[in-house]
Amino acid sequence: MRHGSDGSAVIIRFRAAGGLLLLAHLLLVGWLSLRPLDVPWVTSPNFHPLAGIEAYLALGPAPAARRICEGLLLLAPLGVLLPMAGGRLSVSPVASLARTALAGGLFSLAIELLQTGVPGQVVDVDSVLLNTAGVALAHLTVVPVGRARLRRKQERVPGGAVLREEAPQGPTPTIPRVGIAP
């Protein structure tokens, strides 16, 4: 399919914006997650999946909802920013979700491992689970709609006409070899 210059320019702008927003978000997450905390005591690390979420639920509905939403929302923008920075429009939705969720999970795991050296911060496996779920949910709610919209915009030219496949123009002409003059 032939693309107009407007369509490819839109993709380039989205990739650039996605890259800049991704960098800004990662810097913010790094600052929030890796700064030392001045606390009188530190809880023990949680290596048992869902044990931290059970502890949140024991605190009551409001504190549990707040802590679970914090875990879901911390890395959720990666679910949109990673595909945006990639700039691919024609990709399998399942493969895109899997790649994005895996990248979000690996980034969350890296943060948790870096927190082992930061005073006042502890490792929590439930943070990795909640962060990864947040990335996947954000991806599922925004990316398919955004890609469909961009594909429609890319198919249109500035005058409003829809570009169609062009018919093949036949074989490429060949030129016979010309001998060198004596």
Side-chain angles (χ1 to χ4, degrees):
M1 181 179 289
R2 195 181 81 170
H3 301 292
S5 61
D6 182 47
S8 60
V10 168
I11 299 301
I12 291 170
R13 284 194 304 255
F14 266 78
R15 287 186 75 178
L20 289 174
L21 290 172
L22 180 64
L23 178 64
H25 180 69
L26 292 178
L27 289 173
L28 176 68
V29 167
W31 179 76
L32 288 173
S33 302
L34 299 176
R35 62 187 169 141
L37 299 177
D38 189 22
V39 292
W41 72 88
V42 177
T43 61
S44 62
N46 173 23
F47 297 112
H48 301 287
L50 306 178
I53 294 174
E54 289 176 9
Y56 296 158
L57 294 173
L59 297 173
R66 190 185 115 250
R67 291 197 179 180
I68 290 171
C69 285
E70 285 174 355
L72 288 172
L73 294 176
L74 180 67
L75 294 181
L78 291 181
V80 177
L81 296 175
L82 286 171
M84 190 175 171
R88 290 192 231 166
L89 293 181
S90 300
V91 65
S92 165
V94 175
S96 176
L97 175 64
R99 269 194 312 269
T100 304
L102 180 64
L106 289 174
F107 187 74
S108 179
L109 180 63
I111 288 173
E112 291 299 319
L113 292 175
L114 288 172
Q115 282 181 342
T116 60
V118 178
Q121 301 280 4
V122 294
V123 175
D124 185 6
V125 71
D126 291 335
S127 293
V128 175
L129 295 174
L130 288 172
N131 291 338
T132 305
V135 169
L137 286 172
H139 183 86
L140 283 172
T141 57
V142 176
V143 172
V145 174
R147 279 191 175 141
R149 200 168 166 211
L150 281 172
R151 279 192 296 265
R152 281 192 308 270
K153 184 171 181 118
Q154 191 177 32
E155 289 175 355
R156 299 200 175 267
V157 293
V162 177
L163 295 175
R164 290 184 174 72
E165 290 280 339
E166 293 182 0
Q169 298 178 359
T172 305
T174 58
I175 301 172
R177 294 204 171 239
V178 178
I180 298 177

mmCIF file of all heavy atoms in Angstrom, residues 29-37 42 45 74 107-125 127-128 131:
data_model
loop_
_atom_site.group_PDB
_atom_site.id
_atom_site.type_symbol
_atom_site.label_atom_id
_atom_site.label_comp_id
_atom_site.label_asym_id
_atom_site.label_seq_id
_atom_site.Cartn_x
_atom_site.Cartn_y
_atom_site.Cartn_z
ATOM 1 N N VAL A 29 9.800 7.478 37.594
ATOM 2 C CA VAL A 29 9.686 6.219 38.325
ATOM 3 C C VAL A 29 10.976 5.928 39.079
ATOM 4 O O VAL A 29 10.949 5.497 40.234
ATOM 5 C CB VAL A 29 9.324 5.057 37.371
ATOM 6 C CG1 VAL A 29 9.494 3.706 38.027
ATOM 7 C CG2 VAL A 29 7.896 5.226 36.884
ATOM 8 N N GLY A 30 12.114 6.164 38.453
ATOM 9 C CA GLY A 30 13.394 5.965 39.131
ATOM 10 C C GLY A 30 13.532 6.857 40.349
ATOM 11 O O GLY A 30 13.986 6.420 41.412
ATOM 12 N N TRP A 31 13.113 8.102 40.227
ATOM 13 C CA TRP A 31 13.201 9.020 41.357
ATOM 14 C C TRP A 31 12.261 8.584 42.480
ATOM 15 O O TRP A 31 12.630 8.619 43.650
ATOM 16 C CB TRP A 31 12.879 10.447 40.905
ATOM 17 C CG TRP A 31 12.932 11.428 42.026
ATOM 18 C CD1 TRP A 31 14.045 11.939 42.612
ATOM 19 C CD2 TRP A 31 11.815 11.999 42.707
ATOM 20 N NE1 TRP A 31 13.686 12.801 43.611
ATOM 21 C CE2 TRP A 31 12.323 12.854 43.689
ATOM 22 C CE3 TRP A 31 10.448 11.862 42.577
ATOM 23 C CZ2 TRP A 31 11.503 13.572 44.549
ATOM 24 C CZ3 TRP A 31 9.633 12.577 43.421
ATOM 25 C CH2 TRP A 31 10.159 13.422 44.390
ATOM 26 N N LEU A 32 11.048 8.181 42.134
ATOM 27 C CA LEU A 32 10.089 7.767 43.158
ATOM 28 C C LEU A 32 10.485 6.459 43.831
ATOM 29 O O LEU A 32 10.299 6.295 45.038
ATOM 30 C CB LEU A 32 8.691 7.596 42.539
ATOM 31 C CG LEU A 32 7.949 8.852 42.135
ATOM 32 C CD1 LEU A 32 6.675 8.489 41.378
ATOM 33 C CD2 LEU A 32 7.620 9.698 43.356
ATOM 34 N N SER A 33 11.028 5.542 43.077
ATOM 35 C CA SER A 33 11.277 4.196 43.593
ATOM 36 C C SER A 33 12.647 4.008 44.227
ATOM 37 O O SER A 33 12.813 3.134 45.067
ATOM 38 C CB SER A 33 11.139 3.176 42.469
ATOM 39 O OG SER A 33 9.870 3.240 41.902
ATOM 40 N N LEU A 34 13.611 4.796 43.801
ATOM 41 C CA LEU A 34 14.984 4.524 44.229
ATOM 42 C C LEU A 34 15.568 5.591 45.152
ATOM 43 O O LEU A 34 16.769 5.604 45.382
ATOM 44 C CB LEU A 34 15.876 4.336 43.003
ATOM 45 C CG LEU A 34 15.479 3.181 42.090
ATOM 46 C CD1 LEU A 34 16.352 3.145 40.859
ATOM 47 C CD2 LEU A 34 15.515 1.859 42.838
ATOM 48 N N ARG A 35 14.749 6.456 45.680
ATOM 49 C CA ARG A 35 15.277 7.430 46.639
ATOM 50 C C ARG A 35 15.224 6.825 48.037
ATOM 51 O O ARG A 35 14.306 6.082 48.374
ATOM 52 C CB ARG A 35 14.518 8.734 46.560
ATOM 53 C CG ARG A 35 13.078 8.625 46.889
ATOM 54 C CD ARG A 35 12.364 9.925 46.632
ATOM 55 N NE ARG A 35 10.944 9.640 46.727
ATOM 56 C CZ ARG A 35 10.064 10.422 47.259
ATOM 57 N NH1 ARG A 35 10.428 11.587 47.713
ATOM 58 N NH2 ARG A 35 8.805 10.083 47.331
ATOM 59 N N PRO A 36 16.205 7.134 48.857
ATOM 60 C CA PRO A 36 16.235 6.581 50.222
ATOM 61 C C PRO A 36 15.083 7.145 51.051
ATOM 62 O O PRO A 36 14.700 8.304 50.917
ATOM 63 C CB PRO A 36 17.574 7.051 50.780
ATOM 64 C CG PRO A 36 18.347 7.549 49.628
ATOM 65 C CD PRO A 36 17.397 7.889 48.543
ATOM 66 N N LEU A 37 14.533 6.296 51.902
ATOM 67 C CA LEU A 37 13.467 6.709 52.798
ATOM 68 C C LEU A 37 14.015 6.781 54.215
ATOM 69 O O LEU A 37 14.759 5.907 54.649
ATOM 70 C CB LEU A 37 12.293 5.728 52.743
ATOM 71 C CG LEU A 37 11.599 5.572 51.392
ATOM 72 C CD1 LEU A 37 10.504 4.517 51.491
ATOM 73 C CD2 LEU A 37 11.014 6.893 50.940
ATOM 74 N N VAL A 42 12.186 -0.962 58.963
ATOM 75 C CA VAL A 42 11.881 -1.434 57.609
ATOM 76 C C VAL A 42 11.205 -2.787 57.729
ATOM 77 O O VAL A 42 11.632 -3.636 58.512
ATOM 78 C CB VAL A 42 13.176 -1.561 56.774
ATOM 79 C CG1 VAL A 42 12.897 -2.115 55.399
ATOM 80 C CG2 VAL A 42 13.879 -0.232 56.683
ATOM 81 N N PRO A 45 11.448 -8.225 53.585
ATOM 82 C CA PRO A 45 11.129 -8.423 52.167
ATOM 83 C C PRO A 45 10.020 -9.455 51.988
ATOM 84 O O PRO A 45 9.878 -10.382 52.781
ATOM 85 C CB PRO A 45 12.435 -8.931 51.565
ATOM 86 C CG PRO A 45 13.494 -8.610 52.549
ATOM 87 C CD PRO A 45 12.843 -8.529 53.879
ATOM 88 N N LEU A 74 1.815 2.688 38.906
ATOM 89 C CA LEU A 74 3.205 3.154 38.847
ATOM 90 C C LEU A 74 3.809 2.984 37.452
ATOM 91 O O LEU A 74 4.378 3.927 36.892
ATOM 92 C CB LEU A 74 4.070 2.439 39.879
ATOM 93 C CG LEU A 74 5.542 2.849 39.893
ATOM 94 C CD1 LEU A 74 5.674 4.307 40.355
ATOM 95 C CD2 LEU A 74 6.348 1.933 40.779
ATOM 96 N N PHE A 107 11.195 -4.487 33.735
ATOM 97 C CA PHE A 107 11.549 -3.190 34.303
ATOM 98 C C PHE A 107 11.170 -3.137 35.783
ATOM 99 O O PHE A 107 11.937 -2.646 36.610
ATOM 100 C CB PHE A 107 10.868 -2.056 33.536
ATOM 101 C CG PHE A 107 11.324 -0.710 33.973
ATOM 102 C CD1 PHE A 107 12.574 -0.238 33.630
ATOM 103 C CD2 PHE A 107 10.517 0.079 34.770
ATOM 104 C CE1 PHE A 107 13.019 1.002 34.063
ATOM 105 C CE2 PHE A 107 10.944 1.310 35.210
ATOM 106 C CZ PHE A 107 12.202 1.776 34.853
ATOM 107 N N SER A 108 10.014 -3.681 36.143
ATOM 108 C CA SER A 108 9.590 -3.721 37.538
ATOM 109 C C SER A 108 10.545 -4.573 38.373
ATOM 110 O O SER A 108 10.909 -4.207 39.491
ATOM 111 C CB SER A 108 8.176 -4.272 37.638
ATOM 112 O OG SER A 108 7.752 -4.344 38.975
ATOM 113 N N LEU A 109 10.959 -5.700 37.815
ATOM 114 C CA LEU A 109 11.919 -6.562 38.516
ATOM 115 C C LEU A 109 13.247 -5.845 38.708
ATOM 116 O O LEU A 109 13.864 -5.930 39.779
ATOM 117 C CB LEU A 109 12.118 -7.860 37.732
ATOM 118 C CG LEU A 109 13.079 -8.875 38.331
ATOM 119 C CD1 LEU A 109 12.567 -9.360 39.673
ATOM 120 C CD2 LEU A 109 13.273 -10.044 37.377
ATOM 121 N N ALA A 110 13.684 -5.104 37.703
ATOM 122 C CA ALA A 110 14.937 -4.352 37.832
ATOM 123 C C ALA A 110 14.828 -3.306 38.950
ATOM 124 O O ALA A 110 15.771 -3.127 39.735
ATOM 125 C CB ALA A 110 15.279 -3.671 36.506
ATOM 126 N N ILE A 111 13.695 -2.639 39.037
ATOM 127 C CA ILE A 111 13.504 -1.656 40.114
ATOM 128 C C ILE A 111 13.570 -2.345 41.473
ATOM 129 O O ILE A 111 14.234 -1.858 42.396
ATOM 130 C CB ILE A 111 12.156 -0.920 39.953
ATOM 131 C CG1 ILE A 111 12.221 0.037 38.782
ATOM 132 C CG2 ILE A 111 11.791 -0.159 41.226
ATOM 133 C CD1 ILE A 111 10.892 0.669 38.447
ATOM 134 N N GLU A 112 12.885 -3.474 41.601
ATOM 135 C CA GLU A 112 12.888 -4.188 42.885
ATOM 136 C C GLU A 112 14.296 -4.651 43.261
ATOM 137 O O GLU A 112 14.686 -4.578 44.420
ATOM 138 C CB GLU A 112 11.935 -5.390 42.833
ATOM 139 C CG GLU A 112 10.482 -5.015 42.759
ATOM 140 C CD GLU A 112 9.994 -4.211 43.958
ATOM 141 O OE1 GLU A 112 10.380 -4.538 45.101
ATOM 142 O OE2 GLU A 112 9.231 -3.263 43.743
ATOM 143 N N LEU A 113 15.064 -5.103 42.285
ATOM 144 C CA LEU A 113 16.431 -5.533 42.585
ATOM 145 C C LEU A 113 17.329 -4.353 42.939
ATOM 146 O O LEU A 113 18.196 -4.462 43.810
ATOM 147 C CB LEU A 113 17.007 -6.314 41.405
ATOM 148 C CG LEU A 113 16.346 -7.672 41.145
ATOM 149 C CD1 LEU A 113 16.915 -8.310 39.893
ATOM 150 C CD2 LEU A 113 16.487 -8.587 42.341
ATOM 151 N N LEU A 114 17.125 -3.214 42.280
ATOM 152 C CA LEU A 114 17.906 -2.027 42.631
ATOM 153 C C LEU A 114 17.541 -1.486 44.010
ATOM 154 O O LEU A 114 18.367 -0.870 44.680
ATOM 155 C CB LEU A 114 17.720 -0.938 41.570
ATOM 156 C CG LEU A 114 18.388 -1.195 40.225
ATOM 157 C CD1 LEU A 114 17.957 -0.147 39.206
ATOM 158 C CD2 LEU A 114 19.901 -1.198 40.376
ATOM 159 N N GLN A 115 16.316 -1.727 44.443
ATOM 160 C CA GLN A 115 15.888 -1.247 45.751
ATOM 161 C C GLN A 115 16.594 -1.957 46.895
ATOM 162 O O GLN A 115 16.578 -1.463 48.020
ATOM 163 C CB GLN A 115 14.377 -1.414 45.920
ATOM 164 C CG GLN A 115 13.576 -0.367 45.217
ATOM 165 C CD GLN A 115 12.083 -0.548 45.413
ATOM 166 O OE1 GLN A 115 11.617 -1.619 45.803
ATOM 167 N NE2 GLN A 115 11.333 0.498 45.130
ATOM 168 N N THR A 116 17.226 -3.095 46.633
ATOM 169 C CA THR A 116 17.922 -3.805 47.710
ATOM 170 C C THR A 116 19.079 -2.993 48.263
ATOM 171 O O THR A 116 19.460 -3.166 49.412
ATOM 172 C CB THR A 116 18.446 -5.177 47.231
ATOM 173 O OG1 THR A 116 19.357 -4.971 46.145
ATOM 174 C CG2 THR A 116 17.315 -6.071 46.805
ATOM 175 N N GLY A 117 19.628 -2.097 47.471
ATOM 176 C CA GLY A 117 20.737 -1.277 47.931
ATOM 177 C C GLY A 117 20.328 0.109 48.407
ATOM 178 O O GLY A 117 21.187 0.933 48.724
ATOM 179 N N VAL A 118 19.030 0.391 48.478
ATOM 180 C CA VAL A 118 18.557 1.717 48.861
ATOM 181 C C VAL A 118 18.010 1.654 50.283
ATOM 182 O O VAL A 118 17.137 0.827 50.584
ATOM 183 C CB VAL A 118 17.452 2.205 47.888
ATOM 184 C CG1 VAL A 118 16.931 3.558 48.307
ATOM 185 C CG2 VAL A 118 17.992 2.258 46.475
ATOM 186 N N PRO A 119 18.510 2.503 51.182
ATOM 187 C CA PRO A 119 18.015 2.497 52.560
ATOM 188 C C PRO A 119 16.518 2.806 52.631
ATOM 189 O O PRO A 119 16.027 3.726 52.006
ATOM 190 C CB PRO A 119 18.812 3.615 53.241
ATOM 191 C CG PRO A 119 20.011 3.819 52.384
ATOM 192 C CD PRO A 119 19.601 3.470 51.009
ATOM 193 N N GLY A 120 15.804 1.982 53.403
ATOM 194 C CA GLY A 120 14.377 2.194 53.601
ATOM 195 C C GLY A 120 13.497 1.521 52.566
ATOM 196 O O GLY A 120 12.280 1.510 52.708
ATOM 197 N N GLN A 121 14.069 0.963 51.519
ATOM 198 C CA GLN A 121 13.297 0.284 50.474
ATOM 199 C C GLN A 121 13.496 -1.220 50.616
ATOM 200 O O GLN A 121 14.594 -1.684 50.909
ATOM 201 C CB GLN A 121 13.759 0.730 49.082
ATOM 202 C CG GLN A 121 13.629 2.192 48.828
ATOM 203 C CD GLN A 121 12.204 2.590 48.457
ATOM 204 O OE1 GLN A 121 11.288 1.783 48.450
ATOM 205 N NE2 GLN A 121 12.025 3.853 48.171
ATOM 206 N N VAL A 122 12.428 -1.987 50.393
ATOM 207 C CA VAL A 122 12.516 -3.448 50.474
ATOM 208 C C VAL A 122 11.935 -4.085 49.218
ATOM 209 O O VAL A 122 11.129 -3.481 48.514
ATOM 210 C CB VAL A 122 11.775 -4.007 51.719
ATOM 211 C CG1 VAL A 122 12.454 -3.576 52.989
ATOM 212 C CG2 VAL A 122 10.323 -3.606 51.698
ATOM 213 N N VAL A 123 12.322 -5.312 48.977
ATOM 214 C CA VAL A 123 11.845 -6.062 47.820
ATOM 215 C C VAL A 123 10.453 -6.615 48.127
ATOM 216 O O VAL A 123 10.205 -7.137 49.209
ATOM 217 C CB VAL A 123 12.806 -7.224 47.504
ATOM 218 C CG1 VAL A 123 12.271 -8.092 46.386
ATOM 219 C CG2 VAL A 123 14.169 -6.684 47.163
ATOM 220 N N ASP A 124 9.553 -6.493 47.159
ATOM 221 C CA ASP A 124 8.205 -7.025 47.305
ATOM 222 C C ASP A 124 7.786 -7.627 45.969
ATOM 223 O O ASP A 124 7.637 -6.908 44.978
ATOM 224 C CB ASP A 124 7.244 -5.916 47.729
ATOM 225 C CG ASP A 124 5.851 -6.420 48.023
ATOM 226 O OD1 ASP A 124 5.641 -7.651 48.003
ATOM 227 O OD2 ASP A 124 4.974 -5.585 48.290
ATOM 228 N N VAL A 125 7.601 -8.936 45.933
ATOM 229 C CA VAL A 125 7.243 -9.613 44.688
ATOM 230 C C VAL A 125 5.854 -9.170 44.211
ATOM 231 O O VAL A 125 5.578 -9.168 43.012
ATOM 232 C CB VAL A 125 7.344 -11.148 44.848
ATOM 233 C CG1 VAL A 125 6.247 -11.689 45.714
ATOM 234 C CG2 VAL A 125 7.334 -11.831 43.504
ATOM 235 N N SER A 127 4.755 -6.192 44.209
ATOM 236 C CA SER A 127 4.938 -4.976 43.413
ATOM 237 C C SER A 127 5.196 -5.331 41.959
ATOM 238 O O SER A 127 4.673 -4.678 41.050
ATOM 239 C CB SER A 127 6.104 -4.149 43.944
ATOM 240 O OG SER A 127 5.807 -3.639 45.210
ATOM 241 N N VAL A 128 5.989 -6.360 41.725
ATOM 242 C CA VAL A 128 6.264 -6.798 40.355
ATOM 243 C C VAL A 128 4.971 -7.276 39.690
ATOM 244 O O VAL A 128 4.679 -6.922 38.547
ATOM 245 C CB VAL A 128 7.342 -7.911 40.330
ATOM 246 C CG1 VAL A 128 7.538 -8.450 38.929
ATOM 247 C CG2 VAL A 128 8.645 -7.401 40.900
ATOM 248 N N ASN A 131 2.632 -4.150 39.142
ATOM 249 C CA ASN A 131 3.163 -3.281 38.092
ATOM 250 C C ASN A 131 2.960 -3.902 36.706
ATOM 251 O O ASN A 131 2.563 -3.225 35.764
ATOM 252 C CB ASN A 131 4.646 -3.005 38.314
ATOM 253 C CG ASN A 131 4.906 -2.141 39.522
ATOM 254 O OD1 ASN A 131 4.040 -1.415 39.983
ATOM 255 N ND2 ASN A 131 6.107 -2.233 40.046
#
